[in-house]
Amino acid sequence: MTQKLSPLYSQLPAIDRLLHEPQIALFVEQYGQTLVTATLRKMQEQVRTNIRQHQELPDWCDNWAVALGQQLEQRQVLSLKPVFNLSGTVLHTNFGRALMAESVIEAVTQVMRSPVTLEYSLDGAGRGHRDCALANLLCELTGAEDACVVNNNAAAVLLLLATVASGKQVVVSRGELVEIGGAFRIPDVMAQAGCRLVEVGTTNRTHLKDYQQAINEETALLMKVHTSNYRIEGFTAEVSGCELAKLGVKSQIPTAIDLGSGSMINMAQYGLPAEPMPQDYLNQGIDLVTFSGDKLLGGPQAGIILGKKQWIEAIQRHPLKRALRADKMTLAALEATLRLYQCPEQLCYQLPTLRLLTRSQQEMYDLAQQLLPQIQAYYGGQFIVRNEPCYSQIGSGSLPVELLSSWALTFTAIDGQGRTLEQLAQHWRRLAKPVIGRISEGRLWLDLRCLEDGKALLQALLL
C-alpha cells in the first residue's frame, strides 16, 4: 500500500521560482547562480528531512530569501579564523605558531600580487636557484658555508638523512630519540629516509665511547637531536657538539644535529633561558644543522639546513628536494624575517615572537587592571571575575620546562558548576573572533601575554 505523502511537501517552492524573486536575484549577482542554486537545493532537502522527522516546516520557510542569505554568508566564512590566543602558550602549534612582523606581511603580499624572481637570474636572464638569496643571508647571519630551505623541519631532517645516509647506519643517543607533535618520531623519520638507526648509550647518559664503539663500515652519520620538547635532569651525561665533531673528523664520518625549534640569537640577553644556536654548533665543527623557521626564529613554517657546502650541494640535488621545497610566499616571509636579524637592536620590538616572550609581568598586570571593571560589570551576575598572576609557556616544544611570569583575568562560576565554565568557554569559541582561554583550578583563565589590543578583546567579550 502506497504511503500518503504529507501535504507539507506541496509548500516547497520550486527552484526556478525562487531564483526569480528580487532579493534572491541579487544573491545570484553577488555569489553566482551555481552556488545559489546548489544552496537552495540543499535547503529544500533540509525542509524534506524536517517534514519526515517532525511533520512540520522549519521556521525559516516563512522567508527563504533571508535564510538563503544567512546560509550563503556562512558558506563564505574561511575555515582559518583569527582568534584571541589567551591560552597562555605563545607559540601555539594549533594556532599557527609565530605571528609575522608587519614587514613580513608586506613582503608576502608583494609576491602574491606580482610575478617575482623566484627562479630567475636578472644577471644572466636565465634560470636561478630559489634558495640562493636566502642561503646568502643565512650564511651572513650564521657563518655557515651554505644553506638549504624546505617546507618544515621534519622535511629538513628527512632530506638530510636521505642524502647523507640512505641505506646506511645513523648513530644517535638513545636519550635523544624524541617524539614531536602529532606522534612524529625521529626513528620513524629515519626509516622513511631509508636509514638504519643505531641507538647508543642509555636514556639519561651517553658518552663519546658509545659513539666510537658503534662505528663500523656501514656508519654514514653521527647525529645529535636537541631534546627541545622535554628535559632529563639529575644523573645525566651527553656528548657535546665539539666532541662529536672531532670524532666525525677522526672517523671521516659526517656529523649533524637537529635543533628543532632553533634560535639564532642568545635568548639570555633578553632575560629568557638560553637555547642552543645553530652557529654555535657550526663553530664547533658540526657538518649539518637543521631547525624550524616558525618557532623561536619567529618566521613562517620552514625547515632550514645549514652546513658544509659539499653536503648542502648534495642535498640540493636530491630528488626529494623538489617535493619538499618551499613556495614563494614562504621564502618571501622567511627572507623578510631574517632581514630583521640584521638589525638586532630593533629585533625585540619588530619581531612579534620575541616581543611577546619578553613582555614584563607589569605590562600584563596594567592591562588586566584596565580591562577588569568593564568585564566585571558585564559578567558579574554569573561569575566572580578577578585579575591574578599566572605563568605562560613558550610552546611548540621550545624550552618546555621554562615558564614566563604573566597576568590573567579569571572567571569562577558563582554556582560552583564546572559546566557553567565550559558553557562560557564554548560561547567564546563561537564568537566572530573566538576567544580561547584555558580552564584550570576551577577557573577559566585568560592569560594576557599574547594580547596587545585590549579594546578589541572588550569589543568581542561585551557583545
Side-chain angles (χ1 to χ4, degrees):
M1 184 176 179
T2 304
Q3 186 176 5
K4 186 177 180 180
L5 292 177
S6 169
L8 293 173
Y9 287 110
S10 63
Q11 297 184 39
L12 270 172
I15 298 290
D16 286 344
R17 198 198 87 190
L18 288 169
L19 290 173
H20 285 89
E21 288 188 9
Q23 182 57 53
I24 293 179
L26 291 176
F27 288 143
V28 171
E29 291 181 12
Q30 182 179 356
Y31 295 102
Q33 184 161 332
T34 300
L35 179 60
V36 171
T37 301
T39 304
L40 286 171
R41 285 179 178 148
K42 184 177 179 181
M43 292 170 66
Q44 279 190 334
E45 187 55 39
Q46 291 171 351
V47 174
R48 293 188 183 99
T49 299
N50 207 76
I51 293 172
R52 285 195 301 270
Q53 295 178 351
H54 306 290
Q55 289 74 52
E56 63 180 7
L57 297 172
D59 293 339
W60 52 261
C61 280
D62 294 335
N63 196 326
W64 278 72
V66 171
L68 174 64
Q70 292 172 345
Q71 293 216 15
L72 289 170
E73 187 174 339
Q74 290 173 1
R75 293 186 70 169
Q76 296 302 303
V77 174
L78 297 177
S79 59
L80 294 180
K81 300 182 66 173
V83 303
F84 289 97
N85 174 18
L86 307 184
S87 65
T89 301
V90 179
L91 295 171
H92 202 304
T93 298
N94 297 349
F95 299 148
R97 294 179 178 165
L99 302 180
M100 299 296 103
E102 288 304 314
S103 59
V104 176
I105 295 169
E106 292 174 8
V108 174
T109 302
Q110 181 175 316
V111 301
M112 293 171 69
R113 285 182 171 154
S114 171
V116 293
T117 54
L118 177 64
E119 291 184 353
Y120 184 83
S121 171
L122 292 173
D123 292 332
R127 182 163 186 163
H129 197 290
R130 67 172 57 201
D131 289 0
C132 186
L134 271 175
N136 292 337
L137 184 52
L138 284 163
C139 291
E140 173 193 324
L141 293 169
T142 66
E145 290 183 14
D146 205 351
C148 173
V149 178
V150 289
N151 56 26
N152 65 21
N153 189 51
V157 175
L158 176 68
L159 182 57
L160 183 158
L161 291 170
T163 303
V164 177
S166 180
K168 299 278 189 173
Q169 293 180 355
V170 179
V171 183
V172 184
S173 168
R174 184 170 280 108
E176 298 175 358
L177 297 176
V178 302
E179 177 181 301
I180 59 176
F184 291 99
R185 299 177 173 180
I186 286 293
D188 296 337
V189 175
M190 289 188 178
Q192 291 300 315
C195 306
R196 298 195 300 276
L197 169 65
V198 177
E199 302 177 28
V200 297
T202 63
T203 301
N204 61 319
R205 291 176 69 83
T206 300
H207 305 279
L208 187 62
K209 65 181 180 181
D210 296 318
Y211 281 91
Q212 291 172 323
Q213 292 169 358
I215 293 174
N216 59 43
E217 65 277 3
E218 289 296 305
T219 305
L221 183 66
L222 305 177
M223 187 172 183
K224 281 182 64 63
V225 180
H226 175 50
T227 55
S228 61
N229 60 356
Y230 75 96
R231 182 172 298 171
I232 298 176
E233 296 180 340
F235 188 57
T236 64
E238 68 171 296
V239 176
S240 69
C242 187
E243 290 176 305
L244 194 66
K246 288 179 180 178
L247 178 60
V249 171
K250 181 180 178 181
S251 308
Q252 296 184 316
I253 297 172
T255 54
I257 180 166
D258 170 27
L259 288 181
S261 54
S263 172
M264 292 208 325
I265 54 171
N266 180 7
M267 304 292 284
Q269 67 181 304
Y270 299 101
L272 297 167
E275 182 79 350
M277 298 184 291
Q279 52 266 47
D280 291 340
Y281 285 99
L282 295 173
N283 291 336
Q284 292 171 17
I286 295 293
D287 293 302
L288 293 162
V289 181
T290 66
F291 58 101
S292 296
D294 58 343
K295 296 181 182 179
L296 291 176
L297 185 68
Q301 177 181 295
I304 299 168
I305 311 174
L306 304 178
K308 298 288 185 357
K309 193 172 188 64
Q310 69 179 80
W311 288 115
I312 296 296
E313 288 179 346
I315 287 169
Q316 295 282 19
R317 292 193 300 268
H318 195 283
L320 271 177
K321 172 62 195 304
R322 185 173 183 85
L324 303 175
R325 67 185 183 180
D327 73 339
K328 64 179 181 179
M329 289 174 283
T330 299
L331 294 174
L334 183 57
E335 181 179 0
T337 300
L338 292 172
R339 293 289 177 197
L340 298 177
Y341 282 80
Q342 292 178 309
C343 305
E345 299 83 5
Q346 299 297 320
L347 195 61
C348 192
Y349 308 102
Q350 295 183 345
L351 191 68
T353 294
L354 193 57
R355 186 172 68 243
L356 295 176
L357 291 177
T358 56
R359 294 179 79 186
S360 68
Q361 188 181 35
Q362 182 66 43
E363 187 176 347
M364 277 80 78
Y365 171 77
D366 292 342
L367 181 56
Q369 289 287 81
Q370 295 171 19
L371 298 173
L372 187 61
Q374 293 184 65
I375 292 179
Q376 277 182 329
Y378 191 85
Y379 288 93
Q382 280 188 286
F383 301 93
I384 299 169
V385 186
R386 297 191 179 99
N387 57 5
E388 299 187 54
C390 66
Y391 290 98
S392 310
Q393 61 181 0
I394 295 173
S396 294
S398 305
L399 301 167
V401 299
E402 307 293 346
L403 298 176
L404 308 173
S405 296
S406 187
W407 210 272
L409 296 173
T410 65
F411 296 72
T412 306
I414 292 175
D415 62 12
Q417 299 293 317
R419 182 174 58 186
T420 305
L421 287 179
E422 292 285 357
Q423 290 172 344
L424 179 61
Q426 185 179 63
H427 169 68
W428 286 347
R429 290 195 299 270
R430 292 174 175 170
L431 297 176
K433 183 175 180 179
V435 176
I436 313 295
R438 70 177 187 272
I439 295 177
S440 175
E441 302 173 0
R443 299 189 291 280
L444 177 51
W445 298 71
L446 298 183
D447 187 322
L448 302 181
R449 175 165 292 278
C450 293
L451 179 68
E452 297 186 286
D453 188 350
K455 291 182 180 179
L457 178 65
L458 287 176
Q459 186 175 15
L461 292 181
L462 306 185
L463 291 176

